[in-house]
Amino acid sequence: MKAIVCVDKNWGIGKGNELLYHIPADMKHFKEKTIGNVVVMGLATFRSLPGQKPLADRVNIVISAEKDWSAPGVTVCGSLDELFELLERYDTNTVFVIGGASVYEQLLPYCDTAYVTKVDAEKPADKFFPNLDASSDWVLAREKGEGEHNGVNYKFTTYKSI
């Protein structure tokens, strides 16, 4: 599996169920990486999607403890065991973990790659992604595509598990 995320200097990813940053190039990068693939997310992340609709042209899997919750075009898993059983149908190279914080935390040990858009700024956050720079389990494999949006610099990085 792979994780894909946008973080600030403190590895913050969100506040109040909203992303910290809306950078068009990051959204394009996210779409290019995940289109035609499987995306795994928590219920709060799904509810934050535009119109609370599944992402187009992707298999959408939502992990939810709400047993009666469902949405058209979404496969719901009530546990990690159920998720892993479902994922046996897919090539793990096509599975992208897209959030939120607790889903990243639970599934990151099963990921071999993390695509991290690093924003050179900080905002108040209540949700964080694990700091891969401080982890002995991950190494920065690639940096590319620096850019700027509304005075905020960012770069695309790729981390590999070791």
Side-chain angles (χ1 to χ4, degrees):
M1 283 192 291
K2 302 178 183 333
I4 188 164
V5 66
C6 179
V7 304
D8 75 355
K9 284 182 175 185
N10 300 315
W11 294 81
I13 60 173
K15 183 171 182 187
N17 286 330
E18 297 283 331
L19 295 174
L20 294 181
Y21 298 93
H22 294 274
I23 299 170
D26 177 53
M27 300 296 179
K28 180 181 178 193
H29 174 72
F30 174 88
K31 186 174 183 179
E32 288 172 351
K33 290 286 186 199
T34 62
I35 203 92
N37 292 309
V38 178
V39 291
V40 177
M41 69 195 93
L43 183 55
T45 297
F46 178 81
R47 287 180 170 152
S48 74
L49 297 177
Q52 293 188 23
K53 293 188 182 244
L55 296 172
D57 303 317
R58 285 157 270 209
V59 174
N60 286 251
I61 300 173
V62 173
I63 302 169
S64 173
E66 291 184 26
K67 297 192 184 304
D68 296 333
W69 183 85
S70 66
V74 171
T75 301
V76 181
C77 292
S79 68
L80 289 185
D81 288 341
E82 195 175 327
L83 173 68
F84 291 133
E85 186 177 317
L86 175 65
L87 291 179
E88 288 177 9
R89 302 180 198 167
Y90 302 99
D91 175 352
T92 56
N93 287 317
T94 68
V95 178
F96 286 80
V97 179
I98 67 167
S102 66
V103 173
Y104 284 132
E105 190 176 318
Q106 292 174 70
L107 295 180
L108 196 58
Y110 303 98
C111 293
D112 60 14
T113 305
Y115 298 106
V116 181
T117 302
K118 288 181 146 182
V119 178
D120 189 24
E122 54 188 276
K123 287 185 175 180
D126 59 13
K127 301 294 182 196
F128 295 85
F129 189 85
N131 181 341
L132 301 184
D133 290 328
S135 172
S136 59
D137 297 327
W138 291 87
V139 62
L140 177 62
R142 187 169 163 196
E143 287 185 336
K144 70 173 187 104
E146 291 189 24
E148 178 270 330
H149 178 70
N150 288 342
V152 176
N153 294 316
Y154 62 88
K155 62 185 169 186
F156 298 110
T157 64
T158 304
Y159 287 80
K160 295 285 186 177
S161 66
I162 52 174

